[in-house]
Amino acid sequence: RLGVLVTAMLSLAAFATTAYTVPTIYPRSQPKAVVAPMAGQQHGLFCEDEYNPATGHAEAVCVVPPYAAGLADMKAGRATLLGDYPAPGAGTRWACSKRYGANAEEEWVNGALQWVHYVR
């Protein structure tokens, strides 16, 4: 009976060593660098190169940021000046009933929910 147990253990050990392979740390081939045909060119403000897997090349993609309200918008929109940013010279805060740009957040001002614009 001991012989059967030893044989079973040896066959189990042999199966375990052949069924499991140790994963390699390094990939089989080194990844290839993607070189854009327009590499090194300046595309302008708010533009960057993005890899397009369909074409296999890098393409210039430009994203225009959303409109940010300025001082002229605040004066034309009858906004109320709340004060300066906490940091001196960093800009001002204005409260109004409408949202004029992406640089606004809803805040409670004197008991009313208003749009507060952060203008530089």
Side-chain angles (χ1 to χ4, degrees), residues 82 93 105-109 112-116 118:
L82 297 178
R93 298 175 63 228
E105 295 179 353
E106 280 187 306
E107 294 182 20
W108 291 97
V109 178
L113 188 61
Q114 294 192 354
W115 286 100
V116 176
Y118 296 87

Side-chain angles (χ1 to χ4, degrees), residues 33-55:
V34 177
V35 179
M38 298 180 291
Q41 291 182 356
Q42 295 290 335
H43 302 294
L45 194 59
F46 308 115
C47 295
E48 62 182 20
D49 288 335
E50 287 187 5
Y51 177 72
N52 184 346
T55 62

Side-chain angles (χ1 to χ4, degrees), residues 66-74 79-87 89-96 98-109 114-120:
Y67 179 76
L71 188 57
D73 294 318
M74 297 298 101
T80 304
L81 177 64
L82 297 178
D84 292 335
Y85 275 105
T92 54
R93 298 175 63 228
W94 297 78
C96 49
K98 286 180 56 179
R99 182 179 183 197
Y100 291 104
N103 55 337
E105 295 179 353
E106 280 187 306
E107 294 182 20
W108 291 97
V109 178
Q114 294 192 354
W115 286 100
V116 176
H117 293 80
Y118 296 87
V119 180
R120 291 184 183 224

